Amino acid sequence: MAAMYLYEGMVAPMGVMKRVQLVFRAKANKALDRMEDPRETLDYSYQQQLELLQKVRRGVADVATSRKRIELQINQLQQNSDKLDRQARDALGAGREDLAREALGRKAGVQSQLQDLQTQYAAMQAEEEKLTNASQRLDAKVQAFRTRKETIKATYTAAEAQTRINEAFTGISEEMGDVGMAIQRAEDKTEQMKARAGAIDELMASGALDDAVGGRRDDIQAELDRMGATTGVDGELARMKAELESARAPQIEAGPGTSFPAQASTAAHTADQQPGGDGQ
């Protein structure tokens, strides 16, 4: 039982660690995906392929160099073999069979070396041909990848530009969002300044605030200004009342010696003579 509890206690931390690792990998993958630029990845892959192609070409050059060295050695051994053959013939013609035998023995050793070098030469030649074909196929593949890479990059760039244009039109891009917020703040501040200016005008008109340039107005002057405004309002009201009474007067046939227009004129004159009218 104790062993079971111990096992369960060990499993729980292991499960937590696996979850932590999973969460970390998921977040790292998301961050890398956000940072990755497909164009940079394609360029890097193309660069890697170019380096591989360069290595293959260097390998072809190295094999060709080794083959050429073997070819030179073969030519040199062939020349030695021909020389020993002539020397053996000359010695045999001179009656020196012993020297002829020695020359032919050396020629046999040279021929053995020559056969070994010819075998190596054939192997080098086959390897060179194999690497040359591989280099040509790889070069064709790299060129095809380069064409496709440029096509994908152009398509991606066009799609990115179109996305930015659409985001700008819809206002969801980060840059346009900042511009929109700046415009909104400017409009809010403008409305606030207009409201403040209107409030100050009202306070100055009511006398709650003083004009620092024009000087402080006293209470008597303020009262006189209000009376002047009230007098003008009373006169205007009297004229309106006279016009309404004249319009409501019954339109009947006037009697002898009666003149309605004269009465209306007299009423209007009386209204003008009242206190606060324009006649004063």
Side-chain angles (χ1 to χ4, degrees):
M1 184 67 68
M4 182 180 298
Y5 289 152
L6 180 60
Y7 175 75
E8 291 179 353
M10 294 176 60
V11 170
M14 291 177 61
V16 173
M17 289 300 298
K18 288 183 178 179
R19 290 185 60 188
V20 171
Q21 292 178 358
L22 180 61
V23 171
F24 178 77
R25 290 175 182 175
K27 291 185 176 296
N29 184 51
K30 185 176 181 180
L32 289 174
D33 185 67
R34 185 169 56 252
M35 295 172 57
E36 182 183 8
D37 189 344
R39 293 167 296 187
E40 296 178 354
T41 303
L42 290 172
D43 288 336
Y44 179 75
S45 299
Y46 177 67
Q47 186 66 30
Q48 293 295 107
Q49 293 186 18
L50 286 179
E51 293 180 359
L52 178 60
L53 179 61
Q54 190 66 23
K55 290 180 180 179
V56 173
R57 288 176 176 174
R58 283 197 297 266
V60 173
D62 293 340
V63 172
T65 302
S66 298
R67 179 187 57 80
K68 191 64 177 178
R69 292 179 59 184
I70 293 176
E71 183 179 354
L72 294 175
Q73 291 178 5
I74 289 175
N75 293 333
Q76 185 177 1
L77 288 176
Q78 187 64 45
Q79 291 175 3
N80 291 335
S81 177
D82 295 340
K83 180 180 179 181
L84 290 172
D85 184 77
R86 290 194 304 270
Q87 289 176 348
R89 291 178 183 275
D90 293 341
L92 188 60
R96 297 291 304 272
E97 184 177 350
D98 56 339
L99 291 178
R101 188 182 297 276
E102 182 66 23
L104 291 175
R106 292 183 178 182
K107 177 183 177 182
V110 171
Q111 287 294 327
S112 178
Q113 295 180 9
L114 187 60
Q115 289 179 359
D116 292 340
L117 287 178
Q118 286 177 346
T119 302
Q120 294 180 14
Y121 181 83
M124 286 289 180
Q125 193 172 18
E127 185 68 19
E128 180 182 358
E129 183 177 359
K130 181 180 178 180
L131 288 177
T132 301
N133 294 333
S135 176
Q136 292 175 353
R137 290 195 301 269
L138 182 59
D139 182 69
K141 182 179 178 180
V142 170
Q143 294 303 324
F145 179 81
R146 177 179 179 276
T147 302
R148 188 175 181 183
K149 172 182 74 73
E150 295 299 328
T151 302
I152 294 175
K153 286 177 60 178
T155 305
Y156 181 85
T157 302
E160 184 182 30
Q162 186 65 38
T163 301
R164 290 184 180 275
I165 292 173
N166 292 338
E167 288 180 351
F169 280 145
T170 56
I172 63 175
S173 64
E174 184 176 357
E175 295 81 1
M176 294 304 297
D178 295 340
V179 173
M181 293 177 62
I183 293 175
Q184 185 64 40
R185 289 195 299 269
E187 291 178 349
D188 293 343
K189 192 170 184 178
T190 301
E191 293 297 329
Q192 182 180 0
M193 294 300 293
K194 289 170 62 177
R196 183 178 178 84
I200 292 175
D201 289 341
E202 292 179 0
L203 291 174
M204 290 182 64
S206 64
L209 292 179
D210 296 330
D211 187 0
V213 178
R216 180 180 179 85
R217 298 188 302 174
D218 55 8
D219 296 339
I220 297 176
Q221 183 63 42
E223 185 67 24
L224 290 175
D225 292 340
R226 284 195 295 270
M227 287 181 62
T230 304
T231 301
V233 172
D234 292 339
E236 186 68 20
L237 182 62
R239 283 196 299 272
M240 288 184 178
K241 287 181 178 180
E243 292 177 358
L244 291 175
E245 291 177 358
S246 177
R248 287 197 297 264
Q251 300 296 325
I252 60 175
E253 185 177 354
T258 304
S259 177
F260 287 104
Q263 293 177 358
S265 176
T266 303
H269 180 70
T270 303
D272 291 339
Q273 296 298 324
Q274 291 179 357
D278 294 339
Q280 291 182 353

